[in-house]
Each structure stands twice: as C-alpha cells, then as structure tokens.
Amino acid sequence: MSGREENQQLPGTGLIAILGAGSLGRLWAGYLSAGKVAFVPRHGSADVSGADSLSYRLQRFDGSAASVSIPWLTSSSEQPSVLLVTTKAGDTLGALESRLPELPCDTPIVLFQNGMGSQQAVAERWPRRPILAASTTEGANRPQQGQTVHAGRGETRVGALTDRARPFVKPVVQALAASGLKVHAEPDIRQRLWDKLIVNAGINAFTAILNCRNGDILNSRFYLERIDDLCAEIAAVLEAEGGRPLTPAMIRERIETVAQSTANNTSSMLSDRQKGRTTEIDFINGYVARRGQAHGIEVPVNQMLTERVQQLSADPEAGRP
Ligand code: NAD
Ligand code: KPL
C-alpha cells in the first residue's frame, strides 16, 4: 500500500456539513444529529431566511419519530471535517462551484447523487480535491412540510473518485456509520454506480412516461416491447466503458427483481414529474445514451426514453405513449 492509500484522519473536529437540505440530506442529518452536523445554506443564503437552524420531524424506519433541529453553517462556524452533497444531480456542479472556494482543499466531499455523469463532472472539475461518491439504497421523502420520512431501509457504499480521496474512505465510512445506518467502504464505486444506474435506467423513465408505480411497468406493452433492446444497449455501453460485463438477460433480471420488490413504490422520477420538478433523466438514460454515442454504439431506446421524459417535463401530455 502506498503512503497515499494509508488511512488519513479527517481534518477538523468532526463537524459533518451537508449541502442540499432535501429528503436525503435531512435523513442523514437526522440520524447523525447526536454528533455535530450543520446544513450548508444555498449560496446567497436564501435557505436560511433569518433562522439559525432548520427544524423538522424525522420519522425513523422503526416507526419512532424525533424532532430534529440542525444549525445552518455560518462564516463563524468551525471548518467541517467532511462535506456531504445531497443536491439533485443537475444542481450539484453549480452548488459546489458557489460553495467550494470557502472549503479547505483537504476536506473530503461525498457525492450522493443517483445516476452517473454529475459525479464525474465534479471529479474532473476538482481533480486534486478528495472527492468520494456514495451509492445508497436508503429511501427518504417529505410527504408534507416539516416532515421527513425514512421510507426504505437500505445500505450505503462509499468509495473514492479521485486519488486524493483514497485515504479518506475508511474515516468517512466511520463518520457516517455513527448514524446507525449501514455504511460500507466500496473499492470499486464506479461499478456500484453502474449497478444502480442499470436498475434506474430500466424502471424510472417507464414509470414517468406511463404514470404508474414500479411494479406496473412489468404488465405494460410499452415496457415489454422495448425492454430487451434497452438491456442490449446498456450491456454494450457497459462493456465499452470497461465495466464488469453483464448479458442483456442478466440486466433484465436485475431490473425486474427490483421492480417486483419495489412494486408499490412511486419512483423518484415519477415523483419529480408529479411535483413539476426537473427529473434526473439526463444522468440515467441520458448518460447511457451519451456514453453510447461516444463509443459509436446505437442507443435508440435510451435516447427515446430520455427525449420522452424531457418532453413530459416541458409539456405533461406530450411524451405519453
Ligand atoms: P431533494 O430535491 O429532496 O433535495 C435536494 C435539495 O438540494 C433541495 O432541498 C434543494 O433545495 C437543494 N439544493 C438545490 N440546489 C442547491 C444549491 N445550489 N445549494 C444548496 N442546496 C441546493 O432530493 P433528494 O430526494 O434528497 O435527492 C438528492 C439526491 O440523492 C438525488 O440525486 C437523488 O437521486 C439521490 N438519492 C435520493 C434518495 C432518496 O431517498 N431521497 C435515495 C438515493 C439517492
Ligand atoms: O431508486 C429508485 C428510484 O425510484 O429512483 C428505484 C430503485 C426505482 C426504487 O423506486
């Protein structure tokens, strides 16, 4: 093991800062609140609106509920030991552009976004900073103002994206595990992100287009007529990207296992659509399509799903089958 890969202590005195005070950010803050946690306000401080802290009820997975109050980071706060970034994929680069100049260069940054593309953009923009990615199957939502629900219990895998991040993987995992949530070090985080991307690429867009729950796609002609071609495109792109090869049949099995086990879920993409929010399609099927085009692989199904979801966002009736 080279000196660079040896574990390195987190800088500072243990404060965990969270950029993105949405569902996932509030989930982590709530479970970590026994230690030192603070939310980083949006640049220009629109989030803070005069208050010192953000208060909400967290309904834990075991059914218990707690009132949580998390302070906003201010210029007089101590320097954070780690920054968790829980913005949506499309907001992440911009959020960090406005906030990173204030953060010391040795503070590890952990990216929690779904899909792929946003993490690479951050790692390429700041290659000398310790940038990590987390792939999580925890589920959180906010059914009403002031309430955050831990709706699905899962696991979180954390791995290094830049060389400087390698020595921080274990200390970051330890810091996050203080939450009581399941957290593991991941030696190949890129593969983990692909594993989740494959499942999201086979479920999310279909649910958004068909306006249905995850399990319902499996009985839909629109899904059944396209899924094998979609899986063949994903398999070809994955192989060209140097990922662990999977056959189209293995990919379909993974997608359908998750669609069945989450049959009653409203996917994050359908939920974004229903709330009129920007979806993460550009980082899911849009990412597969872009990588396919870069390798000269034909990706008509990924392209079509991306365009339909983009059209739906612009005009709710336009992309329906
Ligand atoms: P969300 O929309 O609830 O939260 C995002 C938060 O980021 C919002 O509060 C928003 O105001 C804030 N934000 C946007 N731009 C910002 C900026 N410039 N500066 C500071 N804050 C900014 O989304 P979420 O559900 O918490 O998801 C966040 C990410 O985590 C997504 O990529 C999602 O796919 C991923 N994820 C979420 C879950 C989940 O269960 N919610 C699970 C796994 C992965
Ligand atoms: O991750 C998901 C999402 O909704 O984004 C799945 C696995 C599809 C569960 O709903």
Side-chain angles (χ1 to χ4, degrees):
M1 189 181 258
S2 76
R4 280 233 145 148
E5 282 159 353
E6 279 163 22
N7 293 335
Q8 195 167 311
Q9 272 196 332
L10 295 179
T13 56
L15 174 70
I16 298 181
I18 302 180
L19 178 62
S23 301
L24 195 63
R26 290 180 199 210
L27 179 83
W28 280 101
Y31 276 92
L32 286 163
S33 61
K36 288 194 283 184
V37 197
F39 283 124
V40 183
R42 194 185 278 263
H43 187 64
S45 294
D47 285 337
V48 182
S49 33
D52 296 339
S53 56
L54 178 64
S55 301
Y56 55 96
R57 293 277 294 170
L58 174 68
Q59 192 179 312
R60 296 200 191 89
F61 194 72
D62 64 9
S64 65
S67 293
V68 179
S69 187
I70 307 293
W72 290 104
L73 200 77
T74 65
S75 51
S76 57
S77 305
E78 62 191 84
Q79 284 296 347
S81 294
V82 56
L83 175 67
L84 311 184
V85 186
T86 52
T87 47
K88 292 275 196 186
D91 294 324
T92 299
L93 194 59
L96 284 171
E97 286 278 7
S98 63
R99 278 306 186 198
L100 274 203
E102 300 151 22
L103 198 73
C105 289
D106 62 346
T107 309
I109 298 161
V110 190
L111 306 174
F112 275 82
Q113 289 62 45
N114 248 352
M116 284 177 82
S118 69
Q119 304 89 340
Q120 289 81 349
V122 171
E124 279 166 24
R125 170 75 180 76
W126 294 283
R128 279 186 280 282
R129 279 188 181 261
I131 313 274
L132 300 89
S135 176
T136 186
T137 52
E138 300 291 355
N141 56 55
R142 284 176 293 158
Q144 56 193 34
Q145 225 193 340
Q147 191 191 17
T148 299
V149 176
H150 185 195
R153 186 170 224 162
E155 296 193 351
T156 302
R157 308 219 166 236
V158 179
L161 286 179
T162 58
D163 283 344
R164 288 281 310 276
R166 287 184 209 290
F168 289 110
V169 173
K170 280 200 180 145
V172 165
V173 166
Q174 266 168 12
L176 294 183
S179 62
L181 300 175
K182 284 189 192 155
V183 190
H184 312 277
E186 174 54 65
D188 190 354
I189 191 65
R190 214 170 140 267
Q191 184 63 48
R192 276 284 163 193
L193 293 171
W194 259 110
D195 287 344
K196 186 141 195 273
L197 175 72
I198 286 168
V199 169
N200 290 134
I203 298 178
N204 292 29
F206 287 108
T207 61
I209 294 166
L210 295 165
N211 195 22
C212 68
R213 290 182 185 245
N214 294 357
D216 297 335
I217 62 171
L218 302 174
N219 307 315
S220 136
R221 237 176 85 184
F222 182 73
Y223 168 86
L224 291 169
E225 287 174 356
R226 288 162 181 84
I227 189 62
D228 284 326
D229 290 344
L230 179 78
C231 292
E233 291 178 16
I234 295 172
V237 175
L238 179 61
E239 193 176 346
E241 289 279 284
R244 197 183 322 124
L246 291 172
T247 63
M250 287 157 88
I251 292 176
R252 181 167 176 177
E253 197 189 330
R254 284 187 183 199
I255 291 167
E256 298 194 346
T257 302
V258 176
Q260 274 156 1
S261 67
T262 62
N264 279 325
N265 278 25
T266 297
S267 78
S268 55
M269 194 169 288
L270 177 57
S271 168
D272 284 338
R273 267 224 53 229
Q274 288 171 337
K275 291 175 182 143
R277 295 189 182 144
T278 309
T279 71
E280 297 190 301
I281 189 73
D282 291 346
F283 303 90
I284 300 178
N285 301 92
Y287 179 78
V288 180
R290 285 196 301 284
R291 295 315 303 151
Q293 282 151 5
H295 292 291
I297 296 167
E298 299 218 342
V299 282
V301 184
N302 278 287
Q303 193 61 42
M304 177 276 296
L305 292 173
T306 305
E307 283 165 13
R308 288 245 186 150
V309 174
Q310 287 167 342
Q311 282 163 14
L312 276 173
S313 301
D315 169 1
E317 290 307 315
R320 296 245 178 267

